[in-house]
Amino acid sequence: MSATEKKMNVESFNLDHTKVKAPYVRLAGVKEGINGDVIRKYDIRFTQPNQEHLEMPAIHSLEHMMAEFSRNHSDRIVDISPMGCQTGYYMALINHDDYDEVLTILEKTLHNVLEAEEVPACNEVQCGWAASHSLEGAKEAAKGMLEKRSEWTQVFE
């Protein structure tokens, strides 16, 4: 069994990244807590894996903006985290199983990014690397994602 055939502990390591077609939003995992709470993790892919990526200042700013603005549209957001491969984000929600509403939350959030005049918490008091931000880069990524809104539900070619 080759390394690419071996079952891995991390869900995304079992995803064939050569078969996906970005941009997309897919359910990447479901975890149920001992008290019945359910966390759903979504893979929000902005760029095509191994072909293009987002630059770190844009990723950082978009992370701040999505983390802040998404919570204006849902109280179920647990976290929004950038992928180390620089191609997208993970968004985790608690006790929320409506995929179409997740898409709406993301769409509204990205529109907020386009309307923003500054990156929230972009200062040395509130951010660990305040010098690494790009409002323009974040807006460009959001615009590109929104332009392909009709494709978000299609994960594979």
Side-chain angles (χ1 to χ4, degrees):
M1 182 179 277
S2 74
T4 57
E5 295 171 348
K6 181 183 175 197
K7 176 86 168 125
M8 304 291 287
N9 292 322
V10 177
E11 185 277 340
S12 65
F13 295 167
N14 295 309
L15 175 69
D16 186 339
H17 287 70
T18 66
K19 303 259 191 279
V20 298
K21 181 185 166 290
Y24 63 78
V25 179
R26 75 177 181 92
L27 180 63
V30 178
K31 297 278 186 191
E32 186 170 341
I34 59 171
N35 295 316
D37 286 318
V38 178
I39 303 274
R40 285 179 175 76
K41 179 177 80 171
Y42 291 88
D43 169 348
I44 302 171
R45 198 68 63 144
F46 277 69
T47 65
Q48 187 62 33
N50 298 300
Q51 292 183 20
E52 48 188 353
H53 68 278
L54 301 171
E55 295 298 325
M56 282 308 299
I59 288 172
H60 190 186
S61 294
L62 195 52
E63 174 202 9
H64 276 228
M65 297 166 94
M66 290 196 312
E68 179 65 19
F69 301 152
S70 64
R71 287 166 169 88
N72 294 330
H73 307 296
S74 175
D75 63 354
R76 303 296 181 161
I77 306 291
V78 173
D79 189 40
I80 296 180
S81 309
M83 296 176 179
C85 61
Q86 299 174 237
T87 62
Y89 297 81
Y90 288 111
M91 181 167 66
L93 295 96
I94 190 165
N95 299 328
H96 188 290
D97 64 355
D98 186 334
Y99 175 76
D100 290 329
E101 188 176 338
V102 168
L103 299 181
T104 299
I105 292 165
L106 178 60
E107 183 176 8
K108 288 178 178 180
T109 299
L110 293 175
H111 278 292
N112 294 150
V113 170
L114 294 181
E115 296 161 2
E117 295 181 14
E118 64 183 13
V119 176
C122 180
N123 60 70
E124 291 185 4
V125 172
Q126 296 175 293
C127 177
W129 191 234
S132 178
H133 280 281
S134 173
L135 176 62
E136 295 74 24
K139 286 185 175 200
E140 185 178 318
K143 182 177 182 279
M145 188 74 171
L146 284 167
E147 285 174 350
K148 297 190 175 186
R149 169 63 176 89
S150 64
E151 299 173 25
W152 290 359
T153 59
Q154 183 183 342
V155 178
F156 299 98
E157 300 239 27

